[in-house]
Amino acid sequence: MVKTYAEALQFIHGRDRFKKKPTLDRMRQFMARLGDPQHELTMVHVAGTNGKGSTVAFLRDLFMASGDTVGTFTSPFITRFNERISHDGEPISDDELVALVNQIQPIVAQLDDELAEEGPTEFEIDTALMFCYFAAHPVDIVVVEVGLGGLYDSTNIITPLVSVITTIGMDHMRILGDTIPKIATQKAGIIKPRVPVVCGRLPEDALAVMDQTAAANVTTVAALGRDFRVKNEPEAQWGERFAYEFGPEHWEQLQVGLLGQYQIDNAATALTAFTLAQRLRGLTVTTAEVRQGLKGTRWPGRFERVSEQPLIAIDGAHNEPAMVEMATLLRRHFAQNDVYIVLAILADKQYQKMVATLLEVPNVHLILTQFQGPGQRAAATPDELEGAVNQSDRVTMAPDWPTALRTALGTMSAEDLLLLTGSLYFISEVRHYFKDDEK
């Protein structure tokens, strides 16, 4: 039995992260012994390479604007573990987390004894905590983010109202496969019989996998750029503005407070999933709800402005597809400014490509550094990052990120942008620093 919050976290984080053989059997056994609380929940399921977190946030705020109470399950957390399980945007309390861990711990011990490869993994436990929490604290709808992949993800024992696949790109290739169709097949594993599917802006070969999987499951796919459309309407303020069209639904000048073309895509994907979910629930979608829900959405660590003077932003662009989007954002919004980027990346990412992509933006100056990687995952060292760079006078090195931050602030002018990016784990560390300063 755990008595404190620290002991609860120690129990959760002390579990294996992966097993050799991917399977949902262990998760199904686990939940059956807990009374299958997931069967009591109405859910939307969100998978994808990038954009999952922002899409979940848009969905949460759209449902809340319509008067629903909303649960969310997201990963990783930015500041505290509790963020992963939230009710109307408020994280689960420490006391509730301790009580839930004590509820599931005996079942975990049973499975550890009975199963040859031992019992549930860390993420399976996270998922079980979430299902049990929302079964005991009912909400109108739960928006569930996939942890990794889809097909064998521990969340994939649910039958949601709508399944969402935000993007498909090259990431986690050792686990999910080394081609876009292979990765798409893993993500398409969340598609269920007669459950409609909403897809963001996918490559053609990835969308073909979704269409084929949906056809086999006798359901439909609504895809961005084909079945629903957006048109960017330039916005002078911090944020984006766009027009949206999906069948009879058509809205002009929708605004989001998050920056980047990809956030328009995420908002439109969320809006389409929200519209389909409301139709299935026999509810109407109003213009006021849509405008309010999208405009109010915030999501920590996604091109989040942490200082206005000087202008400093943080972003967890943690893989090559995200860096491509980042480069597009910088060209569009900050072409007139010098951009100083403090970059720290996990060693198991495609850091050579990530560095090269940022250096294609002519006004970017890179300061390569490192941070304390999570658990067993190491951060790429400055030397490793430097080895990814052809000689450039726009690249410097720093032994740690506080030193990099001081270097950038001592070099940049009042009109420039400072961006810290490269890993969500890095951004979590940095965000603590800036947010603690505000208190």
Side-chain angles (χ1 to χ4, degrees):
M1 181 173 177
V2 304
K3 294 179 181 176
T4 66
Y5 175 72
E7 288 174 355
L9 288 189
Q10 192 174 13
F11 168 72
I12 294 165
H13 296 321
R15 305 296 300 185
D16 289 343
R17 292 189 71 237
F18 297 106
K19 301 289 188 185
K20 290 179 182 177
K21 182 184 174 188
T23 176
L24 289 177
D25 292 344
R26 183 175 53 250
M27 189 65 194
R28 289 195 177 103
Q29 281 190 61
F30 189 14
M31 298 319 299
R33 295 190 189 194
L34 288 165
D36 281 322
Q38 73 277 12
H39 294 335
E40 300 170 34
L41 310 178
T42 302
M43 290 174 275
V44 174
H45 205 188
V46 182
T49 301
N50 291 322
K52 295 190 295 293
S54 299
T55 302
V56 168
F58 283 123
L59 277 163
R60 174 198 66 205
D61 290 348
L62 285 164
F63 282 116
M64 285 177 64
S66 75
D68 284 320
T69 53
V70 185
T72 52
F73 180 59
T74 55
S75 60
F77 60 91
I78 298 295
T79 307
R80 295 187 87 227
F81 176 87
N82 307 46
E83 296 163 29
R84 300 181 74 159
I85 302 169
S86 294
H87 182 156
D88 286 349
E90 287 298 314
I92 183 175
S93 73
D94 293 359
D95 288 346
E96 286 166 327
L97 187 64
V98 169
L100 282 169
V101 167
N102 283 320
Q103 180 186 340
I104 71 163
Q105 207 174 29
I107 308 300
V108 173
Q110 286 175 20
L111 292 170
D112 280 347
D113 288 341
E114 294 171 21
L115 299 178
E117 82 284 12
E118 294 189 338
T121 65
E122 178 178 347
F123 192 72
E124 287 168 346
I125 285 170
D126 296 342
T127 307
L129 292 169
M130 177 268 295
F131 287 146
C132 291
Y133 178 71
F134 289 120
H137 302 81
V139 290
D140 296 313
I141 196 143
V142 184
V143 186
V144 176
E145 179 185 334
V146 165
L148 175 63
L151 182 61
Y152 294 112
D153 188 76
S154 61
T155 62
N156 201 30
I157 60 170
I158 68 174
T159 301
L161 274 181
V162 181
S163 301
V164 182
I165 292 133
T166 57
T167 59
I168 302 288
M170 301 297 272
D171 197 20
H172 298 296
M173 293 176 292
R174 282 184 297 183
I175 299 168
L176 303 180
D178 56 2
T179 68
I180 290 292
K182 285 179 184 176
I183 293 170
T185 299
Q186 290 291 319
K187 309 285 187 192
I190 72 164
I191 295 174
K192 302 293 193 306
R194 295 178 177 80
V195 174
V197 183
V198 177
C199 294
R201 202 177 295 277
L202 302 191
E204 279 186 29
D205 48 356
L207 183 54
V209 172
M210 302 304 157
D211 285 334
Q212 289 159 10
T213 309
N217 282 277
V218 198
T219 191
T220 58
V221 174
L224 177 56
R226 181 185 72 187
D227 308 296
F228 62 101
R229 291 178 173 78
V230 292
K231 181 184 176 187
N232 192 346
E233 299 174 327
E235 169 61 71
Q237 304 301 312
W238 187 277
E240 303 287 354
R241 188 170 58 192
F242 65 101
Y244 168 89
E245 186 178 349
F246 175 45
E249 312 288 0
H250 186 90
W251 288 290
E252 302 281 345
Q253 297 193 338
L254 295 176
Q255 287 187 290
V256 295
L258 301 176
L259 208 57
Q261 171 66 43
Y262 54 93
Q263 295 296 8
I264 294 177
D265 290 354
N266 293 337
T269 301
L271 180 50
T272 306
F274 169 71
T275 301
L276 290 175
Q278 296 300 71
R279 286 179 191 169
L280 288 166
R281 298 164 77 202
L283 300 171
T284 56
V285 174
T286 71
T287 302
E289 291 167 3
V290 169
R291 292 194 185 284
Q292 179 190 336
L294 294 181
K295 191 172 183 180
T297 298
R298 299 290 178 268
W299 193 234
R302 276 63 172 192
F303 218 91
E304 180 184 7
R305 183 170 48 184
V306 292
S307 169
E308 292 194 38
Q309 287 295 330
L311 182 56
I312 304 175
I314 59 175
D315 192 279
H318 59 289
N319 53 32
E320 167 60 6
M323 279 304 172
V324 171
E325 297 286 5
M326 175 65 68
T328 302
L329 184 159
L330 294 174
R331 286 190 185 95
R332 210 174 102 225
H333 287 278
F334 299 99
Q336 308 309 312
N337 315 69
D338 274 325
V339 178
Y340 290 83
I341 298 180
V342 174
L343 185 69
I345 304 172
L346 286 172
D348 57 7
K349 297 294 181 177
Q350 295 177 293
Y351 53 82
Q352 295 93 338
K353 287 187 176 181
M354 294 165 76
V355 168
T357 295
L358 288 175
L359 284 175
E360 287 170 10
V361 183
N363 55 327
V364 156
H365 306 268
L366 282 183
I367 305 173
L368 306 178
T369 190
Q370 62 189 341
F371 70 107
Q372 184 66 46
Q376 299 167 345
R377 298 177 71 191
T381 66
D383 286 345
E384 286 172 322
L385 291 172
E386 188 177 28
V389 181
N390 294 322
Q391 288 301 312
S392 170
D393 58 4
R394 292 189 288 131
V395 180
T396 56
M397 314 298 294
D400 53 64
W401 71 261
T403 303
L405 181 62
R406 287 193 295 273
T407 300
L409 291 171
T411 310
M412 64 190 283
S413 73
E415 292 77 37
D416 296 338
L417 166 70
L418 171 56
L419 171 66
L420 297 100
T421 188
S423 163
L424 280 166
Y425 296 102
F426 171 47
I427 292 315
S428 174
E429 203 171 302
V430 170
R431 193 172 189 273
H432 272 291
Y433 170 83
F434 282 102
K435 292 303 176 183
D436 287 347
D437 273 2
E438 289 176 5
K439 292 173 183 173

